[in-house]
Amino acid sequence: MKITENQQKLLRQLPGVDQLLEQFMAQSPDADIPHPVIVNCIRDTLETQRNRIMAPDPALSEQGLSDARLLEMVSTAVQKAMAPNLKRLVNATGVVVHTNLGRSLLPPSVLENIVAVAGRYSNLEYDLSAGKRGSRYSAVEGILCEISGAQAAMVVNNNAGAVLLCLETLAKNKNVIVSRGELVEIGGSFRVPDVMSKGGAILKEVGTTNRTHLKDYENAVDAECALLLKVHRSNFSIVGFTTEVSLRQLVDVGARYGIPVMEDLGSGTFIDFSKYGLVKEPTVQESVGTGADLVTFSGDKLLGGPQAGLIVGKKSLVDQIKQNPLARALRIDKLTLAALEATLRLYRDEHKAVDTLPTLRMLTADRNTLEKRAAALMETLIKIGGPRLRVEIVALGSKAGGGALPLLELPSSCLKIQAGNISASLLEKNMRENEPPIIGRIENGAFIIDPRTLLDDDLPVIGAAFEQLLNRVAS
Ligand SMILES: *Cc1c(COP(=O)(O)O)cnc(C)c1O
């Protein structure tokens, strides 16, 4: 490829790495930034500009490649390199258990327990009364049994791990019977048939997509059958001409043939949401009470705690699961354990749990609370933007998320915002690129902020973001 004279001139204008480094150090002598980070940023910046020259990028000028401009680019790159990749953001989507945005938030009392354990030695696997090695699970087993009514409990890294571990322990090279209507994909590559094969279990699907009968299970039971599995549908519903075998009926079949019954509850909750005006989800206590031999569920969905997979059930089975070498590979870490114990303790008083755990508070937030928050934010925005921001309160629905209550629209009071002539998608992008990022949603072509998932200190953040945006547009 032939290089033009202009390209040659621009290439010659680019300074060397050492030269830029010297200038950068002179400009920010006190910055506590590791040398290799600066050098890498300088190299990347020069490389990018060289590529632009070679492209060639018609927008490129001598002025655009001045040392001052290059230094600015390096500074921006250095700032970016020094900032953490995983960072807080504002969830204005109204999806409470949003898997992409970190699912459940932990309340201060739970965070305190993490801090207390994380920076110190602890009795993680030490039995203080016996003065010798203890079990990692003892911190939460007692309270999990207390709340759920189960004989025994253990915890692992997440619910996908819990399901895998149970299958591998009880049903390796054996048959597991599941209704065709429950062979779900949860997303993020959790598919029931795939998890079964990874656990070495042989899937015996029974029934049809919409209807599975008791006799379908009974006909499939044979000497090779190790487990009857019931899976919560989580993120979809089957409506219309349907028949489903209840957990109670499955427990009867299991008892008749001497086969354990396991239920993957998915979200899992200790609280009857119908008491709070929401749709009922099966509770962990009910599944245990109905006689399921094993129940698995997530720690960070409707439970509102840290990421974890909880297993409760019959002692003989949980003991076998604890002995499985795979349990070691899936084991829960001590920070999570500290958070989980503190979360579970809140459930000893249901009202305290609902008031304290952000996930539960957001799910049960009433119309009045949401209207007030929407009105407060609207006032802030109008003060900031005046006529340049058109803000309107609209009645829209929020979602529970996390594979729970899939058909439920939680009534919410949202803000529909228009900023000058900026399109909804550009507004969405600008908010997403704010520091901290604000993630809203676009509905019917309008940018929407749902107050259900906002925390009190998110409101000034949103105000500041719009202020900056309007200043940028004006200048
Ligand atoms: C969410 C879900 C899982 C996976 O749980 P994680 O804690 O995300 O690993 C498994 N089964 C069902 C039915 C679920 O809804």
Side-chain angles (χ1 to χ4, degrees):
M1 203 170 66
K2 207 169 164 336
I3 300 182
T4 66
E5 226 168 88
N6 187 44
Q7 281 174 316
Q8 275 179 8
K9 195 173 78 196
L10 290 174
L11 283 174
R12 271 198 307 272
Q13 194 193 323
L14 289 180
V17 173
D18 289 342
Q19 199 181 330
L20 264 188
L21 180 61
E22 203 173 292
Q23 290 181 31
F24 184 88
M25 298 310 286
Q27 176 192 286
S28 356
D30 306 321
D32 185 18
I33 303 160
H35 229 242
V37 173
I38 306 172
V39 172
N40 274 339
C41 288
I42 291 174
R43 287 218 172 96
D44 287 349
T45 301
L46 290 174
E47 172 77 13
T48 307
Q49 298 316 309
R50 223 172 273 126
N51 290 339
R52 284 180 71 197
I53 295 170
M54 297 310 292
D57 177 350
L60 211 55
S61 65
E62 271 177 60
Q63 213 178 5
L65 292 177
S66 68
D67 283 8
R69 270 298 294 135
L70 290 172
L71 272 179
E72 265 172 44
M73 292 177 206
V74 171
S75 288
T76 308
V78 166
Q79 258 175 30
K80 200 162 166 226
M82 294 301 285
N85 290 322
L86 183 60
K87 57 191 172 188
R88 74 163 274 202
L89 57 71
V90 174
N91 175 7
T93 63
V95 180
V96 178
V97 182
H98 197 308
T99 294
N100 302 150
L101 306 184
R103 285 195 183 168
S104 284
L105 317 185
L106 303 177
S109 62
V110 171
L111 297 178
E112 271 166 33
N113 207 41
I114 299 176
V115 171
V117 168
R120 303 271 172 188
Y121 290 111
S122 63
N123 59 339
L124 179 63
E125 288 185 1
Y126 187 71
D127 182 338
L128 284 168
S129 52
K132 57 180 195 200
R133 198 199 152 105
S135 159
R136 180 175 289 250
Y137 311 118
S138 58
V140 291
E141 180 159 15
I143 189 148
L144 263 174
C145 293
E146 181 188 316
I147 304 170
S148 68
Q151 292 173 357
M154 79 168 290
V155 288
V156 291
N157 181 56
N158 59 8
N159 186 35
V163 174
L164 177 70
L165 180 60
C166 291
L167 290 170
E168 219 269 346
T169 308
L170 302 175
K172 192 166 182 186
N173 301 323
K174 300 260 187 57
N175 296 346
V176 175
I177 303 178
V178 191
S179 160
R180 183 169 291 180
E182 295 173 7
L183 292 175
V184 299
E185 172 177 314
I186 306 300
S189 77
F190 182 95
R191 301 174 117 189
V192 171
D194 297 349
V195 174
M196 304 251 299
S197 68
K198 283 287 171 204
I202 301 156
L203 169 63
K204 288 280 161 191
E205 58 176 285
V206 296
T208 60
T209 307
N210 56 328
R211 308 192 87 192
T212 302
H213 304 278
L214 191 58
K215 67 172 187 299
D216 294 324
Y217 286 93
E218 285 172 324
N219 291 342
V221 169
D222 61 14
E224 297 309 308
C225 180
L227 197 66
L228 305 176
L229 175 63
K230 189 161 184 61
V231 183
H232 186 270
R233 290 203 186 101
S234 293
N235 49 12
F236 78 109
S237 276
I238 296 183
V239 293
F241 187 51
T242 65
T243 304
E244 184 178 348
V245 175
S246 68
L247 178 64
R248 183 170 303 281
Q249 290 173 298
L250 268 195
V251 167
D252 287 343
V253 176
R256 233 177 305 139
Y257 295 94
I259 300 167
V261 176
M262 167 169 152
E263 183 171 36
D264 173 14
L265 272 181
S267 237
T269 172
F270 294 131
I271 290 180
D272 176 354
F273 280 108
S274 64
K275 283 199 283 187
Y276 299 88
L278 304 177
V279 172
K280 178 152 175 72
E281 283 274 294
T283 67
V284 177
Q285 299 91 306
E286 285 162 1
S287 293
V288 171
T290 302
D293 298 280
L294 284 174
V295 182
T296 67
F297 50 105
S298 281
D300 57 350
K301 291 186 180 170
L302 290 185
L303 212 69
Q307 179 191 304
L310 293 79
I311 304 169
V312 300
K314 299 265 153 69
K315 185 169 181 332
S316 57
L317 301 182
V318 174
D319 282 346
Q320 283 179 56
I321 293 167
K322 285 178 182 167
Q323 297 301 320
N324 188 332
L326 195 57
R328 168 61 196 259
L330 295 167
R331 82 178 178 188
I332 190 167
D333 114 284
K334 64 180 177 181
L335 306 190
T336 309
L337 198 57
L340 185 60
E341 184 185 358
T343 303
L344 291 172
R345 282 178 180 277
L346 291 171
Y347 277 97
R348 283 182 157 159
D349 176 349
E350 178 176 317
H351 293 288
K352 193 159 174 189
V354 173
D355 283 345
T356 313
L357 291 167
T359 299
L360 297 184
R361 218 174 44 219
M362 289 173 184
L363 283 172
T364 59
D366 59 23
R367 201 55 183 272
N368 190 27
T369 309
L370 298 171
E371 267 166 17
K372 269 200 211 141
R373 203 178 292 155
L377 184 56
M378 179 153 111
E379 200 183 306
T380 308
L381 291 179
I382 287 173
K383 222 178 268 167
I384 286 167
R388 290 189 298 163
L389 282 184
R390 279 199 303 288
V391 191
E392 212 183 305
I393 293 185
V394 287
L396 291 172
S398 324
K399 287 266 181 215
L405 315 159
L407 297 188
L408 183 66
E409 286 256 310
L410 304 161
S412 187
S413 282
C414 298
L415 292 189
K416 178 174 156 186
I417 306 172
Q418 266 182 289
N421 311 325
I422 303 174
S423 69
S425 60
L426 192 58
L427 185 53
E428 182 277 335
K429 180 171 182 286
N430 268 283
M431 290 298 121
R432 177 158 42 83
E433 289 172 352
N434 187 63
E435 268 318 320
I438 297 162
I439 312 297
R441 66 176 203 255
I442 292 181
E443 204 164 314
N444 296 327
F447 182 69
I448 302 291
I449 284 186
D450 189 333
R452 183 181 297 276
T453 44
L454 297 182
L455 304 176
D456 287 341
D457 61 3
D458 287 338
L459 302 193
V461 170
I462 296 172
F466 275 97
E467 191 163 19
Q468 279 175 24
L469 172 68
L470 292 176
N471 289 343
R472 272 204 304 279
V473 175
S475 66

